[in-house]
Amino acid sequence: MKLASFLYQGKRSYGIVQAEGVIDLGRRLGDRYGDLKALLQGNGLAQATRFLNDAVDVPLSAITFLPVIVQPEKILCVGMNYADKRKEFDQHNPAPTLFVRFPDSQTGHNEPVLKPRHSSEFDYEGELAVIIGKGGENISRDDALRHVAGYSCYMDGSARDWQHTWFTAGKNWRQTGAFGPWMATADEIPDPHQLAIRTWLNGRMVQEDNTSSMIHKVAELIEYISTFTRLSPGDVIITGSPGGVGKKRNPPLFMKEGDRIEVEIEHIGHLSNVIMEAPAVGLAAAH
């Protein structure tokens, strides 16, 4: 089952994605679960499956995609988690590299990604996102995948010239991270480490790898993170990017206004966004 958060006729909702459109779960379950995060918090995935054979309510062309989880309590990001990426950045620390994103740094599929006006090194990173379905702390890696609700694509836009010995400033400009188009539930992805992952910039493939190349696997990351913070349903773990980022190319390759950036992960989906320059005055429009 694939689940998306979206805006339709000015109203937020969420639903089951089919080839021809969306089955609106907000209409059916909204009085109990106001959004997709609430559905996960209420252990409502099984209830959602009752509507899998319903007729679609809205064509995909009529909706505005929102980030899969619009307001996660936590967005935890893993750096340097593919062998080629570690070589590019000459990284040798064996522990997972972690940083955080804020919810307003996200945008949805087919929506603009905003290049920070104060950055001339806005880089792409295609990543597998893990959405937590069952909360907990001190989760063992043997049990960890049972805490996963599903998986999605993420484009972790990075202002490299704002990353120093920490990552926060380079990762949290408004609408720099794209999350979507939807979540593939965990039952569709029996092994998250057998997925081809690719990134394209203006139709040119710039990253290609397989999630089998992750150094710290999903279960290990959940175990590690849950030792120091309690994970909650709807929390998101972004698991790191393969090699091929623009910063380490010769010459460097950065994103600019008008570019199209795409991330595709096997069995999950194809995320696509156009880069726009962030407004000079005021805040970007937020849904």
Side-chain angles (χ1 to χ4, degrees):
M1 182 168 59
K2 292 181 170 62
L3 297 168
S5 299
F6 61 89
L7 195 68
Y8 178 63
Q9 295 183 340
K11 183 179 179 182
R12 285 188 185 186
S13 193
Y14 62 101
I16 300 169
V17 178
Q18 305 283 29
E20 60 274 23
V22 178
I23 300 166
D24 191 340
L25 292 177
R27 292 186 191 177
R28 294 161 172 81
L29 296 172
D31 58 336
R32 300 180 64 185
Y33 311 115
D35 58 15
L36 186 48
K37 183 171 80 171
L39 183 80
L40 299 180
Q41 289 172 331
N43 199 26
L45 282 179
Q47 293 177 57
T49 61
R50 302 195 333 250
F51 306 106
L52 268 169
N53 295 319
D54 284 14
V56 301
D57 299 297
V58 187
L60 291 176
S61 60
I63 68 173
T64 298
F65 283 93
L66 298 171
V68 176
I69 305 296
V70 177
Q71 288 287 332
E73 290 182 20
K74 301 182 188 74
I75 306 169
L76 296 141
C77 311
V78 184
M80 307 299 164
N81 201 26
Y82 283 75
D84 286 349
K85 179 80 172 291
R86 289 175 71 87
K87 289 177 188 173
E88 284 181 341
F89 284 82
D90 194 27
Q91 266 287 341
H92 304 284
N93 191 328
T97 300
L98 297 179
F99 55 93
V100 297
R101 267 191 175 273
F102 307 140
D104 69 353
S105 72
Q106 302 189 123
T107 192
H109 171 62
N110 278 340
E111 289 297 285
V113 164
L114 300 182
K115 186 191 88 63
R117 297 186 67 85
H118 296 284
S119 175
S120 58
E121 297 186 356
F122 189 41
D123 208 346
Y124 52 84
E125 297 195 61
E127 310 196 18
L128 174 72
V130 177
I131 298 103
I132 297 297
K134 177 186 174 185
E137 54 190 331
N138 296 311
I139 300 166
S140 73
R141 70 185 65 188
D142 291 341
D143 194 45
L145 294 187
R146 286 189 279 275
H147 288 255
V148 175
Y151 302 91
S152 188
C153 305
Y154 212 100
M155 199 295 292
D156 183 26
S158 305
R160 297 291 186 200
D161 39 0
W162 283 77
Q163 288 180 201
H164 307 291
T165 54
W166 65 93
F167 294 98
T168 303
K171 297 287 189 174
N172 281 288
W173 300 81
R174 182 178 290 271
Q175 290 181 220
T176 52
F179 183 15
W182 43 67
M183 174 183 87
T185 50
D187 59 295
E188 292 196 356
I189 312 292
D191 184 353
H193 298 291
Q194 293 296 325
L195 305 171
I197 178 169
R198 301 180 180 91
T199 306
W200 289 268
L201 181 60
N202 297 325
R204 170 189 174 187
M205 188 182 293
V206 289
Q207 293 182 294
E208 183 179 22
D209 209 325
N210 191 285
T211 55
S212 61
S213 299
M214 279 187 200
I215 293 165
H216 303 290
K217 307 302 187 188
V218 171
E220 179 188 347
L221 292 170
I222 291 171
E223 179 184 68
Y224 180 78
I225 291 167
S226 70
T227 60
F228 66 84
T229 187
R230 182 176 179 83
L231 288 170
S232 301
D235 284 353
V236 181
I237 300 171
I238 308 168
T239 56
S241 171
V245 296
K247 175 73 172 177
K248 294 300 180 178
R249 289 179 176 268
N250 188 15
L253 178 65
F254 296 117
M255 297 186 291
K256 60 187 185 301
E257 186 169 30
D259 286 349
R260 179 171 292 278
I261 187 70
E262 300 168 84
V263 178
E264 182 179 61
I265 303 178
E266 187 179 15
H267 304 308
I268 295 175
H270 190 113
L271 173 66
S272 181
N273 300 85
V274 171
I275 308 301
M276 289 180 57
E277 189 83 10
V281 180
L283 298 176
H287 297 301

